[in-house]
Amino acid sequence: MIAETVCSAVAAAGLGIAAVTAFRKRFLTAARIAAYALVPLGLVMTGVVQWAADTAFSPVAWAGFGVLGGAWLLFTGTRAVERRRGRKGRAVSAAAQHDPVAPQASAPSLGPASRTTAKPRTKPQATSRTDAADDFSDIEAILKKHGI
């Protein structure tokens, strides 16, 4: 009963503040304040406040939350054990299992026969002295720009 009265008073006060804000020509802010003010009133009208009050003061409800917490602990605990066993179990089963194909048969050969592919052509290097000087002049300009 008290919770409903408090929520209604908060809603009325919020709507009053929204009206004053709208009077000051701040309509967007007034609409936002009115929306926040109507939330407690809506919770009272739907019965959520009464349900929350009944739940908060009910020992059966708190026992139910305890049971739900215990169930959650069981689920997470069994999941953690399953993951640990899964890792160890997979390693043991992989070692015990024999492959029908030898591991070396699937590895690529690195002998001289595998290097028969043509090498990509590279750009011919500058042989003249001026090309090399141009390259260094660009580098010098960058270094001077940065104060080095």
Side-chain angles (χ1 to χ4, degrees):
M1 180 80 168
I2 293 174
E4 289 88 357
T5 305
V6 170
C7 286
S8 299
V10 168
L15 290 175
I17 293 170
V20 171
T21 306
F23 182 74
R24 293 181 180 173
K25 306 284 185 198
R26 296 180 137 190
F27 298 111
L28 186 62
T29 305
R32 189 172 291 127
I33 292 170
Y36 282 123
L38 291 174
V39 169
L41 186 63
L43 291 174
V44 167
M45 293 175 76
T46 57
V48 172
V49 173
Q50 182 64 37
W51 174 81
D54 290 343
T55 302
F57 299 113
S58 171
V60 174
W62 284 106
F65 284 124
V67 168
L68 287 174
W72 179 78
L73 286 173
L74 283 173
F75 279 126
T76 56
T78 56
R79 180 71 177 161
V81 169
E82 184 180 54
R83 283 186 178 176
R84 284 189 173 198
R85 283 189 183 169
R87 288 183 193 147
K88 291 178 183 175
R90 282 188 218 128
V92 170
S93 65
Q97 208 174 32
H98 295 288
D99 279 337
V101 178
Q104 294 83 10
S106 63
S109 174
L110 298 177
S114 66
R115 295 186 184 187
T116 58
T117 60
K119 293 182 181 178
R121 293 184 183 177
T122 60
K123 182 178 170 184
Q125 295 181 351
T127 56
S128 69
R129 191 90 163 128
T130 58
D131 290 339
D134 288 339
D135 290 341
F136 286 119
S137 65
D138 293 337
I139 293 171
E140 287 176 0
I142 292 170
L143 292 174
K144 286 181 183 178
K145 178 181 175 185
H146 292 289
I148 300 174

